Amino acid sequence: MNGAVSALKPRHKMASNGKPLNVVPTNHNSEVLQVQDLIMSSSSSSFSSMKLRVYGGKASFMTWRLHDILHVAKHHWIPCVFAMGLLFFMGVEYTLRMVPSSSPPFDVGFVTTRSLHLLLASKPKLNTLLAGLNTVFVGMQTTYIVWTWLVEGRPRATISALFMFTCRGILGYSTQLPLPQGFLGSGADFPVGNVSFFLFFSGHVAGSVIASLDMRRMQRWEMAWTFDALNVLQSLRLLGTRGHYTIDLAVGVGAGFLFDSLAGKYEESKKSKAPTKTGTKDAFFL
């Protein structure tokens, strides 16, 4: 008790002349609260000023004017086209009569290549010839992709193909689409021998895109355009023989770009310099 009372009394310190000095007791709790209030008020004002500086006190769309909209339409017309496409296909999707489960899938590519399908069905030798030529093209893709790694020492296309075919196997097994009606098989087609294959997605198309992208990186423009043209002809043949649905081919194109990009990111993350007798070279694996 005496200690508590003495704590409330003024404390005395001795001055240099020997006289006591009165020291007014301070309330430490009130000082702490004042400091906290000061910090909170300054933080709040800083946040408010930052919010005003970033947003101008208004939502972004509230600052738009007619000339801003015209500027977007003129200089960013591609997103505008896709925005109109979004609205259009929303209307198509919500009003479309769905294909019954008892009917074959509707495929625009099959409708477009109906004449080619009838021609190949009536001429089996022509179908076999085109299948053989397509297999040669697949061999060209494979040879180029492996060549870039084993001979030129650039593994990106090979890594991309490994990523792509592994993902294709997972997706193809996960959703096994029915074989299209009117499928025209051939023992000369790849994979050779009329064996089973995954429909989704097209490895033929994706592999060609991977090779073409690598050719463009190396500025082999003529080879790239040749591969692109052969890829278009290959796609028409696959639709004409009912070897793939249109969605298989479209996703194959996208897969080629996607896995080429992923392989590039992988290569950048793993790239290192390995000393050799002739200098340095890019290491495939760390």
Side-chain angles (χ1 to χ4, degrees):
M1 184 67 180
N2 293 334
V5 173
S6 62
L8 297 176
K9 293 181 180 180
R11 297 183 180 181
H12 300 282
K13 290 185 178 181
M14 300 301 294
S16 59
N17 56 7
K19 295 182 179 181
L21 292 175
N22 292 332
V23 179
V24 179
T26 59
N27 190 335
H28 295 283
N29 292 334
S30 63
E31 289 182 354
V32 171
L33 291 176
Q34 290 176 1
V35 172
Q36 290 178 346
D37 292 340
L38 180 62
I39 294 174
M40 292 296 293
S41 61
S42 62
S43 300
S44 177
S45 61
S46 299
F47 178 76
S48 300
S49 62
M50 179 182 66
K51 184 168 64 174
L52 291 175
R53 183 169 62 252
V54 174
Y55 299 104
K58 296 181 180 180
S60 177
F61 73 92
M62 296 180 65
T63 63
W64 295 353
R65 298 294 182 266
L66 178 60
H67 65 86
D68 297 323
I69 299 175
L70 295 177
H71 176 83
V72 170
K74 180 179 180 181
H75 298 282
H76 302 281
W77 59 271
I78 294 180
C80 293
V81 171
F82 279 104
M84 291 187 291
L86 168 65
L87 298 176
F88 173 76
F89 283 107
M90 284 177 63
V92 172
E93 180 180 3
Y94 299 152
T95 58
L96 186 67
R97 182 179 179 182
M98 299 189 71
V99 178
S101 58
S102 58
S103 301
F106 172 78
D107 194 293
V108 174
F110 290 178
V111 176
T112 306
T113 59
R114 184 173 181 273
S115 299
L116 177 61
H117 175 72
L118 295 175
L119 175 64
L120 295 177
S122 63
K123 297 182 180 298
K125 291 184 179 180
L126 177 60
N127 181 41
T128 301
L129 174 62
L130 295 180
L133 293 175
N134 203 157
T135 299
V136 172
F137 180 49
V138 174
M140 293 166 58
Q141 301 172 25
T142 306
T143 301
Y144 178 84
I145 290 173
V146 175
W147 176 278
T148 59
W149 172 36
L150 296 181
V151 178
E152 299 180 1
R154 298 184 299 104
R156 176 168 174 171
T158 304
I159 297 173
S160 177
L162 294 175
F163 285 178
M164 182 271 291
F165 279 108
T166 301
C167 182
R168 176 179 178 270
I170 295 172
L171 295 177
Y173 182 81
S174 299
T175 302
Q176 300 179 34
L177 299 174
L179 195 65
Q181 293 184 1
F183 170 67
L184 302 176
S186 173
D189 203 355
F190 184 86
V192 179
N194 280 324
V195 298
S196 59
F197 60 94
F198 292 132
L199 284 167
F200 187 84
F201 47 87
S202 174
H204 289 64
V205 172
S208 179
V209 171
I210 290 172
S212 175
L213 290 174
D214 186 87
M215 293 170 184
R216 282 176 164 77
R217 271 193 301 273
M218 302 305 295
Q219 298 184 357
R220 297 165 177 166
W221 307 112
E222 293 80 6
M223 293 180 64
W225 285 113
T226 300
F227 263 56
D228 290 342
L230 292 175
N231 201 9
V232 171
L233 296 176
Q234 169 183 249
S235 299
L236 291 175
R237 190 196 75 85
L238 290 172
L239 290 173
T241 59
R242 306 301 187 250
H244 273 294
Y245 295 103
T246 301
I247 193 172
D248 304 331
L249 306 178
V251 174
V253 174
F257 281 94
L258 171 63
F259 290 108
D260 178 77
S261 175
L262 292 179
K265 295 181 183 299
Y266 174 84
E267 199 175 38
E268 291 175 3
S269 67
K270 295 294 184 180
K271 184 177 291 186
S272 66
K273 296 296 182 179
T276 62
K277 295 180 180 179
T278 58
T280 60
K281 66 178 181 180
D282 293 337
F284 195 162
F285 297 110
L286 290 176

